[in-house]
Amino acid sequence: MALPTVRGAGVHRRPRNRTFAAVIAALFVVSLATSAQGVPIAPTEPDGTLKVRTGRLVEVGPTSSEHGFPTWYRDSNGIRLEPCTTLDDPLCSALPDEVPNPDAPVSFPDNFPGEIFYQLASSTVTGTGVNMTVSMDLEGAWANEVVVDGDQMVFGRVRIRDRVIADGTYRVTHPYGVDQFDAAGEGINFTEDIGTTPGLFGQALTSRIGPFLKWDPEVAPAAPAGYVGDPSVEHRVVGSPYGTNYVSVERRNDDGTWAELARTDLFSVQGRHATNAGVDVQAATYAVGADGKGFVDIYATSDAGQSIEVRDNGLGFIATGLEGDRGVYYGRVAIDQAADGKSVTVANLGDKPVAVKQAALTDVVTITRATYDADTDALTVSASSSDQDTTPGRLTVMGTSLVDGTATITTVAPTATVKVTSDKGGSATAPVTATGAGMQADAPIAAGFASPVDAAPAQRVTLTGTGSTGTITSYAWRQVPASAGGTEVPVTDENRVTLTGSAEAVATFNAPPVAGPLAFELVVTGPAGTSAPVVVTANVVVPDPSEPPPAPTADAGEDQTVPRGATVRLDGAGSTLVDDYAWSQVSGPSVTLAGATTATPSFVFPRMALPTSTTGPNPSYATTNEPVVVRLTITGQGGQQSTDEITVSPAQETLTITTNEFRAGREWRVAGTSNIVAGQRVAVVLGRDLTGQVLGFATVDATGAWSFRGAGSVVPTAGTTTTSVVSAVGGSITGATFRRR
């Protein structure tokens, strides 16, 4: 199955009367690690065989011209539900808190809900140590929590919550599958949302939601006409694709067996059968010849069996019905005047009110050639427009106009496809077909250096050829005669060295006991041949025997400031007369040094621990800004050593709080920004400092924004007026006054 988008911290509240107050659903992204790790597992029969899924959501309807969400979703049982968008139907109502002015009629976009539902279903199961809510919804919402046309998204949600359940491994069976959890300290708080990409409404069909749940017709009372149930009345349901029309909570025993702790077959469900089918226009195109006459072609979709017509908007034809086949509709009408810049109206006459969509007419672009010659770097594209009237469509590709229907563009890197656009609104995309000889491997070019250049006898010298370029399959180092003042210095038994790694990119040797220059030749080879040799030189310096051997000097590099969570790269290459490197931590939060015996080790600066308890205060919690101090110890000739230290400090994070509210006595909304974009978690704490109870967590996104939105299981007392926040990369704000709404 598709990987879930994990979201968190809302809760569904079921009404106890006909005044509907159905759900608070959060739309911010948090890590699943905020509570028990949830894993969907395959449902099985009692004998252990896999259950076969017998249904799902199968179709999404046209988008509504009223609000931009799909008019309906259909499941494999033929049930078609529409969204609940208004406040005037107690059996299918939006949440009043989500409407800016609940006392005024719902209207788009100025007074429209922040969340709507096609299906809203939940069950609360209680038993031995269990007080769990399972929610299973098909929800419409806004990508950025603000009603902005174009940000509409619809997702299938499975949410399972029991914040005070004891630690252990649990298995929760519900109508849409089985989820397993390892609870450890924070209970179970799991949300899976599938379909959170704006405008891609078909993604919700891949979620676990579906078929729709409805009241069991064999159990009185019957569902109200036109609805799947009454959300204020708990009732048995049908619709599970696995036949599990119940919620069961089991705990794993020490011996691996499972013990059921609680079960219920009662659910609250909301959903209204769709009465309108809507209509979508897939394309509205025209073709006009040089004589000014032509046709308009309309391609539309709706539910099957609808009465769809196209209406004239100044082109001189009468309203014409479209022909339909299994929800696809087509019409073709003749015109005898210019269609450029005009539009048509497509209407579903069976809807009440009649659903209409305006569609701008565009020409049809046809690409007849898209070829690339790799030998000449020439991309050639030929295309035509269906508008051949007195001012034919002007075509462009990659910013270049087509002349007499063709354009040639010089480029060394063509795209896989080309898109030709017309100034009449049409466009077409075609794959590029390439010709020409294949590309050859780059010729290898050798490059290298020695370190150190001046070495004492027995000191280790490194020859590095990693800077060589081209396509390389092998390296070859060898010692060759050197040059001193124009005189050749041959390789002799006294100055000959043993190369370690002579066939590698990096080779080493120990300097010989005699003074003088040394030379080494590097040749690299690849499919395109062998490089010219490059010569790398070093020099052996023999100290005065009456003087002590030169002492090594350690250089650990400059002090650094990095964000928590970043990889810190150290560099001791500035040290001199080094035989061995040894890095060690002196102080600060514990880190693991990778490559501690090399010149360039690294470590990850630890993130700051966050308060964790969501069931009570965190009295011992405290922040820290302690740097990491690392010491470099180098060893040179005669065992002489030198040390140097580097201090790596955490970058200071600036947090802001832009929203700080407790709404309607039941929901927290706290949001803000960070100047460090690192995907870090932010803990929201109740009270004037960071030792209070954690309300929940948020994650800083790619823009630096974070947002916590959670149900008010923690209700502030009358004297509590502040919240505090702290980030895993070190920023914090304490004592921020929240507003009660």
Side-chain angles (χ1 to χ4, degrees), residues 449-456 458-464 498-500 506-512 518 520 536-540 578-579:
F449 64 90
S451 177
V453 174
D454 294 319
Q459 185 175 359
R460 185 167 59 246
V461 179
T462 300
L463 304 175
T464 302
T498 299
L499 283 171
T500 300
V506 177
T508 61
F509 67 89
N510 292 329
L518 302 173
F520 302 88
V536 175
T537 61
N539 192 51
V540 179
V578 184
D579 280 342

PDB file of all heavy atoms in Angstrom, residues 449-456 458-464 498-500 506-512 518 520 536-540 578-579:
ATOM      1  N   PHE A 449      49.117  15.177  -5.989  1.00  0.00           N
ATOM      2  CA  PHE A 449      49.988  15.984  -5.124  1.00  0.00           C
ATOM      3  C   PHE A 449      50.471  15.109  -3.978  1.00  0.00           C
ATOM      4  O   PHE A 449      49.898  14.040  -3.695  1.00  0.00           O
ATOM      5  CB  PHE A 449      49.257  17.228  -4.588  1.00  0.00           C
ATOM      6  CG  PHE A 449      48.096  16.929  -3.684  1.00  0.00           C
ATOM      7  CD1 PHE A 449      48.267  16.807  -2.306  1.00  0.00           C
ATOM      8  CD2 PHE A 449      46.822  16.751  -4.210  1.00  0.00           C
ATOM      9  CE1 PHE A 449      47.196  16.537  -1.482  1.00  0.00           C
ATOM     10  CE2 PHE A 449      45.745  16.483  -3.394  1.00  0.00           C
ATOM     11  CZ  PHE A 449      45.925  16.382  -2.023  1.00  0.00           C
ATOM     12  N   ALA A 450      51.531  15.563  -3.304  1.00  0.00           N
ATOM     13  CA  ALA A 450      52.101  14.858  -2.156  1.00  0.00           C
ATOM     14  C   ALA A 450      51.863  15.665  -0.898  1.00  0.00           C
ATOM     15  O   ALA A 450      51.872  16.901  -0.916  1.00  0.00           O
ATOM     16  CB  ALA A 450      53.595  14.634  -2.359  1.00  0.00           C
ATOM     17  N   SER A 451      51.667  14.983   0.224  1.00  0.00           N
ATOM     18  CA  SER A 451      51.481  15.650   1.509  1.00  0.00           C
ATOM     19  C   SER A 451      52.088  14.765   2.609  1.00  0.00           C
ATOM     20  O   SER A 451      51.735  13.582   2.726  1.00  0.00           O
ATOM     21  CB  SER A 451      49.990  15.872   1.786  1.00  0.00           C
ATOM     22  OG  SER A 451      49.809  16.451   3.051  1.00  0.00           O
ATOM     23  N   PRO A 452      53.056  15.335   3.384  1.00  0.00           N
ATOM     24  CA  PRO A 452      53.611  16.680   3.229  1.00  0.00           C
ATOM     25  C   PRO A 452      54.631  16.707   2.094  1.00  0.00           C
ATOM     26  O   PRO A 452      55.182  15.676   1.702  1.00  0.00           O
ATOM     27  CB  PRO A 452      54.265  16.926   4.578  1.00  0.00           C
ATOM     28  CG  PRO A 452      54.694  15.568   5.035  1.00  0.00           C
ATOM     29  CD  PRO A 452      53.635  14.630   4.562  1.00  0.00           C
ATOM     30  N   VAL A 453      54.920  17.902   1.606  1.00  0.00           N
ATOM     31  CA  VAL A 453      55.918  18.040   0.541  1.00  0.00           C
ATOM     32  C   VAL A 453      57.317  17.834   1.110  1.00  0.00           C
ATOM     33  O   VAL A 453      58.172  17.189   0.484  1.00  0.00           O
ATOM     34  CB  VAL A 453      55.781  19.414  -0.140  1.00  0.00           C
ATOM     35  CG1 VAL A 453      56.905  19.621  -1.143  1.00  0.00           C
ATOM     36  CG2 VAL A 453      54.430  19.536  -0.815  1.00  0.00           C
ATOM     37  N   ASP A 454      57.573  18.373   2.309  1.00  0.00           N
ATOM     38  CA  ASP A 454      58.860  18.180   2.993  1.00  0.00           C
ATOM     39  C   ASP A 454      58.643  17.213   4.136  1.00  0.00           C
ATOM     40  O   ASP A 454      57.831  17.462   5.045  1.00  0.00           O
ATOM     41  CB  ASP A 454      59.402  19.504   3.524  1.00  0.00           C
ATOM     42  CG  ASP A 454      59.761  20.463   2.398  1.00  0.00           C
ATOM     43  OD1 ASP A 454      60.322  20.004   1.383  1.00  0.00           O
ATOM     44  OD2 ASP A 454      59.449  21.671   2.524  1.00  0.00           O
ATOM     45  N   ALA A 455      59.369  16.086   4.098  1.00  0.00           N
ATOM     46  CA  ALA A 455      59.173  15.038   5.098  1.00  0.00           C
ATOM     47  C   ALA A 455      60.495  14.676   5.743  1.00  0.00           C
ATOM     48  O   ALA A 455      61.570  14.745   5.121  1.00  0.00           O
ATOM     49  CB  ALA A 455      58.565  13.799   4.446  1.00  0.00           C
ATOM     50  N   ALA A 456      60.387  14.276   7.002  1.00  0.00           N
ATOM     51  CA  ALA A 456      61.555  13.779   7.716  1.00  0.00           C
ATOM     52  C   ALA A 456      61.701  12.285   7.427  1.00  0.00           C
ATOM     53  O   ALA A 456      60.742  11.624   7.018  1.00  0.00           O
ATOM     54  CB  ALA A 456      61.399  14.025   9.209  1.00  0.00           C
ATOM     55  N   ALA A 458      61.498   8.469   7.587  1.00  0.00           N
ATOM     56  CA  ALA A 458      60.507   7.555   8.181  1.00  0.00           C
ATOM     57  C   ALA A 458      59.119   8.174   8.322  1.00  0.00           C
ATOM     58  O   ALA A 458      58.179   7.496   8.748  1.00  0.00           O
ATOM     59  CB  ALA A 458      60.985   7.033   9.530  1.00  0.00           C
ATOM     60  N   GLN A 459      58.973   9.451   7.963  1.00  0.00           N
ATOM     61  CA  GLN A 459      57.639  10.055   8.046  1.00  0.00           C
ATOM     62  C   GLN A 459      56.766   9.548   6.901  1.00  0.00           C
ATOM     63  O   GLN A 459      57.235   9.355   5.778  1.00  0.00           O
ATOM     64  CB  GLN A 459      57.738  11.582   7.995  1.00  0.00           C
ATOM     65  CG  GLN A 459      56.393  12.272   8.190  1.00  0.00           C
ATOM     66  CD  GLN A 459      56.524  13.783   8.247  1.00  0.00           C
ATOM     67  OE1 GLN A 459      57.623  14.325   8.163  1.00  0.00           O
ATOM     68  NE2 GLN A 459      55.401  14.460   8.382  1.00  0.00           N
ATOM     69  N   ARG A 460      55.469   9.325   7.202  1.00  0.00           N
ATOM     70  CA  ARG A 460      54.557   8.841   6.175  1.00  0.00           C
ATOM     71  C   ARG A 460      54.160   9.982   5.242  1.00  0.00           C
ATOM     72  O   ARG A 460      53.753  11.055   5.687  1.00  0.00           O
ATOM     73  CB  ARG A 460      53.304   8.212   6.791  1.00  0.00           C
ATOM     74  CG  ARG A 460      52.387   7.589   5.739  1.00  0.00           C
ATOM     75  CD  ARG A 460      51.314   6.683   6.334  1.00  0.00           C
ATOM     76  NE  ARG A 460      50.462   7.396   7.268  1.00  0.00           N
ATOM     77  CZ  ARG A 460      50.405   7.151   8.570  1.00  0.00           C
ATOM     78  NH1 ARG A 460      51.177   6.206   9.105  1.00  0.00           N
ATOM     79  NH2 ARG A 460      49.602   7.839   9.362  1.00  0.00           N
ATOM     80  N   VAL A 461      54.245   9.738   3.935  1.00  0.00           N
ATOM     81  CA  VAL A 461      53.878  10.708   2.904  1.00  0.00           C
ATOM     82  C   VAL A 461      52.721  10.114   2.101  1.00  0.00           C
ATOM     83  O   VAL A 461      52.737   8.928   1.744  1.00  0.00           O
ATOM     84  CB  VAL A 461      55.065  11.023   1.976  1.00  0.00           C
ATOM     85  CG1 VAL A 461      54.648  12.018   0.892  1.00  0.00           C
ATOM     86  CG2 VAL A 461      56.239  11.573   2.782  1.00  0.00           C
ATOM     87  N   THR A 462      51.726  10.936   1.813  1.00  0.00           N
ATOM     88  CA  THR A 462      50.544  10.488   1.071  1.00  0.00           C
ATOM     89  C   THR A 462      50.546  11.102  -0.314  1.00  0.00           C
ATOM     90  O   THR A 462      50.714  12.325  -0.473  1.00  0.00           O
ATOM     91  CB  THR A 462      49.248  10.892   1.812  1.00  0.00           C
ATOM     92  OG1 THR A 462      49.248  10.283   3.103  1.00  0.00           O
ATOM     93  CG2 THR A 462      48.016  10.436   1.041  1.00  0.00           C
ATOM     94  N   LEU A 463      50.382  10.247  -1.333  1.00  0.00           N
ATOM     95  CA  LEU A 463      50.254  10.690  -2.723  1.00  0.00           C
ATOM     96  C   LEU A 463      48.778  10.588  -3.098  1.00  0.00           C
ATOM     97  O   LEU A 463      48.188   9.500  -3.015  1.00  0.00           O
ATOM     98  CB  LEU A 463      51.094   9.814  -3.653  1.00  0.00           C
ATOM     99  CG  LEU A 463      52.585   9.711  -3.318  1.00  0.00           C
ATOM    100  CD1 LEU A 463      53.262   8.719  -4.251  1.00  0.00           C
ATOM    101  CD2 LEU A 463      53.248  11.081  -3.407  1.00  0.00           C
ATOM    102  N   THR A 464      48.172  11.708  -3.497  1.00  0.00           N
ATOM    103  CA  THR A 464      46.732  11.752  -3.759  1.00  0.00           C
ATOM    104  C   THR A 464      46.476  12.049  -5.229  1.00  0.00           C
ATOM    105  O   THR A 464      46.918  13.079  -5.749  1.00  0.00           O
ATOM    106  CB  THR A 464      46.054  12.824  -2.883  1.00  0.00           C
ATOM    107  OG1 THR A 464      46.314  12.532  -1.512  1.00  0.00           O
ATOM    108  CG2 THR A 464      44.543  12.838  -3.121  1.00  0.00           C
ATOM    109  N   THR A 498      58.932   1.919  -0.713  1.00  0.00           N
ATOM    110  CA  THR A 498      57.903   0.915  -0.987  1.00  0.00           C
ATOM    111  C   THR A 498      56.544   1.609  -0.988  1.00  0.00           C
ATOM    112  O   THR A 498      56.125   2.184   0.036  1.00  0.00           O
ATOM    113  CB  THR A 498      57.916  -0.198   0.075  1.00  0.00           C
ATOM    114  OG1 THR A 498      59.194  -0.842   0.048  1.00  0.00           O
ATOM    115  CG2 THR A 498      56.812  -1.218  -0.196  1.00  0.00           C
ATOM    116  N   LEU A 499      55.874   1.596  -2.132  1.00  0.00           N
ATOM    117  CA  LEU A 499      54.569   2.257  -2.262  1.00  0.00           C
ATOM    118  C   LEU A 499      53.453   1.308  -1.813  1.00  0.00           C
ATOM    119  O   LEU A 499      53.365   0.171  -2.288  1.00  0.00           O
ATOM    120  CB  LEU A 499      54.321   2.685  -3.707  1.00  0.00           C
ATOM    121  CG  LEU A 499      55.051   3.935  -4.191  1.00  0.00           C
ATOM    122  CD1 LEU A 499      54.874   4.100  -5.689  1.00  0.00           C
ATOM    123  CD2 LEU A 499      54.523   5.165  -3.453  1.00  0.00           C
ATOM    124  N   THR A 500      52.643   1.798  -0.923  1.00  0.00           N
ATOM    125  CA  THR A 500      51.434   1.070  -0.528  1.00  0.00           C
ATOM    126  C   THR A 500      50.249   1.683  -1.268  1.00  0.00           C
ATOM    127  O   THR A 500      50.033   2.891  -1.215  1.00  0.00           O
ATOM    128  CB  THR A 500      51.200   1.175   0.990  1.00  0.00           C
ATOM    129  OG1 THR A 500      52.322   0.610   1.662  1.00  0.00           O
ATOM    130  CG2 THR A 500      49.928   0.447   1.395  1.00  0.00           C
ATOM    131  N   VAL A 506      44.884   6.766  -3.980  1.00  0.00           N
ATOM    132  CA  VAL A 506      45.728   7.323  -2.929  1.00  0.00           C
ATOM    133  C   VAL A 506      46.766   6.270  -2.553  1.00  0.00           C
ATOM    134  O   VAL A 506      46.412   5.125  -2.240  1.00  0.00           O
ATOM    135  CB  VAL A 506      44.890   7.727  -1.701  1.00  0.00           C
ATOM    136  CG1 VAL A 506      45.804   8.228  -0.582  1.00  0.00           C
ATOM    137  CG2 VAL A 506      43.874   8.797  -2.074  1.00  0.00           C
ATOM    138  N   ALA A 507      48.038   6.651  -2.595  1.00  0.00           N
ATOM    139  CA  ALA A 507      49.136   5.756  -2.218  1.00  0.00           C
ATOM    140  C   ALA A 507      49.947   6.417  -1.108  1.00  0.00           C
ATOM    141  O   ALA A 507      49.919   7.647  -0.938  1.00  0.00           O
ATOM    142  CB  ALA A 507      50.030   5.453  -3.421  1.00  0.00           C
ATOM    143  N   THR A 508      50.672   5.591  -0.343  1.00  0.00           N
ATOM    144  CA  THR A 508      51.494   6.122   0.748  1.00  0.00           C
ATOM    145  C   THR A 508      52.860   5.437   0.738  1.00  0.00           C
ATOM    146  O   THR A 508      53.041   4.347   0.189  1.00  0.00           O
ATOM    147  CB  THR A 508      50.819   5.901   2.120  1.00  0.00           C
ATOM    148  OG1 THR A 508      50.654   4.486   2.333  1.00  0.00           O
ATOM    149  CG2 THR A 508      49.472   6.591   2.193  1.00  0.00           C
ATOM    150  N   PHE A 509      53.842   6.117   1.389  1.00  0.00           N
ATOM    151  CA  PHE A 509      55.169   5.515   1.608  1.00  0.00           C
ATOM    152  C   PHE A 509      55.795   6.200   2.804  1.00  0.00           C
ATOM    153  O   PHE A 509      55.370   7.294   3.222  1.00  0.00           O
ATOM    154  CB  PHE A 509      56.057   5.658   0.363  1.00  0.00           C
ATOM    155  CG  PHE A 509      56.442   7.077   0.036  1.00  0.00           C
ATOM    156  CD1 PHE A 509      57.589   7.667   0.578  1.00  0.00           C
ATOM    157  CD2 PHE A 509      55.654   7.836  -0.824  1.00  0.00           C
ATOM    158  CE1 PHE A 509      57.932   8.968   0.258  1.00  0.00           C
ATOM    159  CE2 PHE A 509      55.999   9.137  -1.146  1.00  0.00           C
ATOM    160  CZ  PHE A 509      57.141   9.714  -0.610  1.00  0.00           C
ATOM    161  N   ASN A 510      56.795   5.540   3.371  1.00  0.00           N
ATOM    162  CA  ASN A 510      57.589   6.125   4.445  1.00  0.00           C
ATOM    163  C   ASN A 510      58.870   6.696   3.839  1.00  0.00           C
ATOM    164  O   ASN A 510      59.561   6.033   3.044  1.00  0.00           O
ATOM    165  CB  ASN A 510      57.936   5.087   5.508  1.00  0.00           C
ATOM    166  CG  ASN A 510      56.705   4.627   6.270  1.00  0.00           C
ATOM    167  OD1 ASN A 510      55.757   5.397   6.455  1.00  0.00           O
ATOM    168  ND2 ASN A 510      56.702   3.369   6.696  1.00  0.00           N
ATOM    169  N   ALA A 511      59.180   7.948   4.194  1.00  0.00           N
ATOM    170  CA  ALA A 511      60.322   8.636   3.600  1.00  0.00           C
ATOM    171  C   ALA A 511      61.621   7.874   3.901  1.00  0.00           C
ATOM    172  O   ALA A 511      61.813   7.358   5.014  1.00  0.00           O
ATOM    173  CB  ALA A 511      60.412  10.060   4.115  1.00  0.00           C
ATOM    174  N   PRO A 512      62.541   7.788   2.924  1.00  0.00           N
ATOM    175  CA  PRO A 512      63.820   7.086   3.134  1.00  0.00           C
ATOM    176  C   PRO A 512      64.741   7.886   4.060  1.00  0.00           C
ATOM    177  O   PRO A 512      64.495   9.060   4.338  1.00  0.00           O
ATOM    178  CB  PRO A 512      64.387   6.983   1.721  1.00  0.00           C
ATOM    179  CG  PRO A 512      63.820   8.153   0.997  1.00  0.00           C
ATOM    180  CD  PRO A 512      62.446   8.342   1.562  1.00  0.00           C
ATOM    181  N   LEU A 518      62.380  13.341  -4.210  1.00  0.00           N
ATOM    182  CA  LEU A 518      61.744  12.102  -4.643  1.00  0.00           C
ATOM    183  C   LEU A 518      60.695  12.467  -5.683  1.00  0.00           C
ATOM    184  O   LEU A 518      60.046  13.517  -5.592  1.00  0.00           O
ATOM    185  CB  LEU A 518      61.083  11.367  -3.478  1.00  0.00           C
ATOM    186  CG  LEU A 518      61.981  10.971  -2.299  1.00  0.00           C
ATOM    187  CD1 LEU A 518      61.129  10.414  -1.166  1.00  0.00           C
ATOM    188  CD2 LEU A 518      63.019   9.943  -2.742  1.00  0.00           C
ATOM    189  N   PHE A 520      57.400  10.827  -8.245  1.00  0.00           N
ATOM    190  CA  PHE A 520      56.492   9.703  -8.471  1.00  0.00           C
ATOM    191  C   PHE A 520      55.596  10.043  -9.653  1.00  0.00           C
ATOM    192  O   PHE A 520      55.067  11.153  -9.760  1.00  0.00           O
ATOM    193  CB  PHE A 520      55.650   9.433  -7.225  1.00  0.00           C
ATOM    194  CG  PHE A 520      56.485   9.134  -6.022  1.00  0.00           C
ATOM    195  CD1 PHE A 520      56.938  10.163  -5.200  1.00  0.00           C
ATOM    196  CD2 PHE A 520      56.857   7.827  -5.723  1.00  0.00           C
ATOM    197  CE1 PHE A 520      57.735   9.901  -4.103  1.00  0.00           C
ATOM    198  CE2 PHE A 520      57.654   7.550  -4.621  1.00  0.00           C
ATOM    199  CZ  PHE A 520      58.097   8.591  -3.804  1.00  0.00           C
ATOM    200  N   VAL A 536      54.652  13.830  -9.452  1.00  0.00           N
ATOM    201  CA  VAL A 536      54.426  14.435  -8.141  1.00  0.00           C
ATOM    202  C   VAL A 536      55.733  14.336  -7.365  1.00  0.00           C
ATOM    203  O   VAL A 536      56.380  13.271  -7.356  1.00  0.00           O
ATOM    204  CB  VAL A 536      53.289  13.690  -7.400  1.00  0.00           C
ATOM    205  CG1 VAL A 536      53.128  14.234  -5.999  1.00  0.00           C
ATOM    206  CG2 VAL A 536      51.993  13.800  -8.181  1.00  0.00           C
ATOM    207  N   THR A 537      56.139  15.431  -6.723  1.00  0.00           N
ATOM    208  CA  THR A 537      57.433  15.444  -6.031  1.00  0.00           C
ATOM    209  C   THR A 537      57.268  15.662  -4.541  1.00  0.00           C
ATOM    210  O   THR A 537      56.288  16.260  -4.073  1.00  0.00           O
ATOM    211  CB  THR A 537      58.345  16.544  -6.598  1.00  0.00           C
ATOM    212  OG1 THR A 537      57.723  17.819  -6.415  1.00  0.00           O
ATOM    213  CG2 THR A 537      58.607  16.318  -8.076  1.00  0.00           C
ATOM    214  N   ALA A 538      58.243  15.141  -3.805  1.00  0.00           N
ATOM    215  CA  ALA A 538      58.366  15.374  -2.368  1.00  0.00           C
ATOM    216  C   ALA A 538      59.852  15.528  -2.074  1.00  0.00           C
ATOM    217  O   ALA A 538      60.711  15.265  -2.932  1.00  0.00           O
ATOM    218  CB  ALA A 538      57.763  14.225  -1.574  1.00  0.00           C
ATOM    219  N   ASN A 539      60.178  15.930  -0.864  1.00  0.00           N
ATOM    220  CA  ASN A 539      61.577  16.175  -0.517  1.00  0.00           C
ATOM    221  C   ASN A 539      61.837  15.648   0.883  1.00  0.00           C
ATOM    222  O   ASN A 539      61.040  15.889   1.805  1.00  0.00           O
ATOM    223  CB  ASN A 539      61.899  17.674  -0.573  1.00  0.00           C
ATOM    224  CG  ASN A 539      63.390  17.939  -0.502  1.00  0.00           C
ATOM    225  OD1 ASN A 539      64.159  17.339  -1.256  1.00  0.00           O
ATOM    226  ND2 ASN A 539      63.809  18.828   0.396  1.00  0.00           N
ATOM    227  N   VAL A 540      62.941  14.907   1.031  1.00  0.00           N
ATOM    228  CA  VAL A 540      63.318  14.383   2.347  1.00  0.00           C
ATOM    229  C   VAL A 540      64.335  15.336   2.970  1.00  0.00           C
ATOM    230  O   VAL A 540      65.357  15.677   2.342  1.00  0.00           O
ATOM    231  CB  VAL A 540      63.907  12.963   2.234  1.00  0.00           C
ATOM    232  CG1 VAL A 540      64.308  12.450   3.623  1.00  0.00           C
ATOM    233  CG2 VAL A 540      62.922  12.028   1.570  1.00  0.00           C
ATOM    234  N   VAL A 578      53.121  14.969  10.730  1.00  0.00           N
ATOM    235  CA  VAL A 578      52.166  14.049  11.359  1.00  0.00           C
ATOM    236  C   VAL A 578      52.431  12.625  10.901  1.00  0.00           C
ATOM    237  O   VAL A 578      52.575  12.354   9.698  1.00  0.00           O
ATOM    238  CB  VAL A 578      50.716  14.431  10.995  1.00  0.00           C
ATOM    239  CG1 VAL A 578      49.740  13.522  11.725  1.00  0.00           C
ATOM    240  CG2 VAL A 578      50.450  15.889  11.307  1.00  0.00           C
ATOM    241  N   ASP A 579      52.529  11.714  11.851  1.00  0.00           N
ATOM    242  CA  ASP A 579      52.496  10.291  11.533  1.00  0.00           C
ATOM    243  C   ASP A 579      51.114   9.711  11.821  1.00  0.00           C
ATOM    244  O   ASP A 579      50.621   8.871  11.073  1.00  0.00           O
ATOM    245  CB  ASP A 579      53.551   9.534  12.333  1.00  0.00           C
ATOM    246  CG  ASP A 579      54.937   9.681  11.709  1.00  0.00           C
ATOM    247  OD1 ASP A 579      55.003  10.058  10.522  1.00  0.00           O
ATOM    248  OD2 ASP A 579      55.928   9.423  12.408  1.00  0.00           O
TER     249      ASP A 579
END
